[in-house]
Amino acid sequence: MMFESGLYVVATPIGNLADMSQRAIDLLEAAEIVAVEDSRVTGKLLHHLGLKKKMRRYNDHSGEAERESLVAAARGAVVALVSDAGTPLISDPGYKLVRSARAAGVPVYTIPGASAVTAALSICGLPTDRFLFAGFLPNKAKARVETLEELGQVKATLVFYEAGPRLAASLSAIAETYGDREVAVARELTKKFEEVVTGTASELAARYAAQEPKGEIVLIIGPPADGVAYDTGDVDAALREALETMSAAKAAGVIAKRFGLERSDVYARATQLKSQ
């Protein structure tokens, strides 16, 4: 197969090496340079494919000089961009390289394939007609809650990447912020111990607090319920529901954001309801 010179964004397997497409294999065979996150990881894939290729590191720490060098090479040769697993640019810095190539008039092509985001969505059983991928939740508790509050009323399924040691804390924050919305945890996709577990955030927080999970994780949160009316009765009903699982202060923040009200007013009402 012949490939014209340019930058090729090449998806690689997220676990099972048999998921590598034939076109992706042919492209890597034709590539003069393979831009990689970690040469040790991509080196194992290339060895599995029986290929020896010149690799250049391109990751979060790469700067303008590295981008310009790759773009220059792609003017007259096939340059492949890969990530450690899955589709490049999904939660990694490759978009800067793609922007630079397009601005320089260098053709950019896609060799599509595996992505943990779409793989998890396809089997989690939550709505997929609208979804928002938001990368990793912040590591610090306050920033994590602020992010969840910001996204709380987006009428779409929310998708995050997460690490095993942080999963229980993230699920607890989701339970505190969103109440009983349905959640799915997809782990080790396409690998031997692939697992998808669904339930409320509080249920799953207890499960993973008792046993920290291993492997790569996709965390999926169902969308908010439809049909919220903006009147006093509905605010009180939402507050009462939130107070079942949250403190008055936390419930006030969540409900005020949902209804576009002043947090201090909602907090005052929350304390009244809590005392009744």
Side-chain angles (χ1 to χ4, degrees):
M1 185 178 294
M2 296 293 294
F3 295 92
E4 296 183 4
S5 61
L7 175 66
Y8 288 77
V9 180
V10 184
T12 58
I14 57 175
N16 192 321
L17 295 181
D19 291 336
M20 191 75 173
S21 75
Q22 186 59 54
R23 183 165 175 248
I25 295 171
D26 291 342
L27 184 282
L28 289 180
E29 186 173 13
E32 182 173 311
I33 298 170
V34 181
V36 305
E37 280 189 86
D38 188 327
S39 59
R40 294 166 298 181
V41 175
T42 302
K44 292 178 181 178
L45 174 63
L46 294 174
H47 177 75
H48 171 78
L49 299 174
L51 300 175
K52 290 185 179 181
K53 289 292 166 179
K54 180 179 180 181
M55 290 184 281
R56 288 195 195 174
R57 193 162 191 167
Y58 187 81
N59 57 26
D60 286 315
H61 305 292
S62 299
E64 185 176 354
E66 288 89 347
R67 284 194 293 277
E68 289 181 352
S69 176
L70 288 169
V71 169
R75 289 186 183 279
V78 172
V79 175
L81 172 66
V82 302
S83 61
D84 285 349
T87 300
L89 278 73
I90 307 302
S91 199
D92 79 29
Y95 82 93
K96 295 179 181 178
L97 178 58
V98 170
R99 284 176 65 93
S100 295
R102 293 179 66 85
V106 172
V108 180
Y109 306 97
T110 180
I111 309 291
S115 167
V117 173
T118 52
L121 282 167
S122 71
I123 59 173
C124 72
L126 292 174
T128 57
D129 54 332
R130 297 182 71 191
F131 66 88
L132 171 67
F133 174 62
F136 282 88
L137 281 168
N139 190 37
K140 294 186 178 179
K142 181 179 179 182
R144 184 188 298 127
V145 170
E146 288 175 348
T147 296
L148 290 170
E149 289 179 344
E150 176 188 353
L151 299 175
Q153 287 309 300
V154 174
K155 294 197 177 297
T157 294
L158 303 178
V159 187
F160 300 94
Y161 286 155
E162 193 49 278
R166 306 188 330 178
L167 180 60
S170 290
L171 287 165
S172 294
I174 292 165
E176 185 177 356
T177 308
Y178 296 160
D180 288 333
R181 262 197 229 181
E182 190 174 3
V183 172
V185 172
R187 188 178 68 85
E188 291 288 82
L189 295 174
T190 77
K191 300 177 185 177
K192 181 178 180 180
F193 297 106
E194 176 178 292
E195 173 184 68
V196 178
V197 181
T198 60
T200 66
S202 57
E203 291 169 345
L204 297 188
R207 174 189 178 113
Y208 291 112
Q211 183 172 8
E212 182 181 298
K214 296 180 180 179
E216 310 262 332
I217 295 166
V218 183
L219 177 57
I220 305 173
I221 307 169
D226 292 327
V228 177
Y230 292 80
D231 61 33
T232 302
D234 284 325
V235 171
D236 279 1
L239 264 177
R240 287 192 177 95
E241 182 180 356
L243 287 169
E244 293 178 3
T245 57
M246 305 179 194
S247 67
K250 180 57 66 180
V254 172
I255 301 306
K257 193 172 189 70
R258 181 186 304 177
F259 289 91
L261 303 172
E262 289 292 330
R263 185 181 181 282
S264 58
D265 294 338
V266 180
Y267 180 73
R269 184 56 178 157
T271 55
Q272 289 176 355
L273 293 175
K274 196 154 185 147
S275 64
Q276 291 176 2

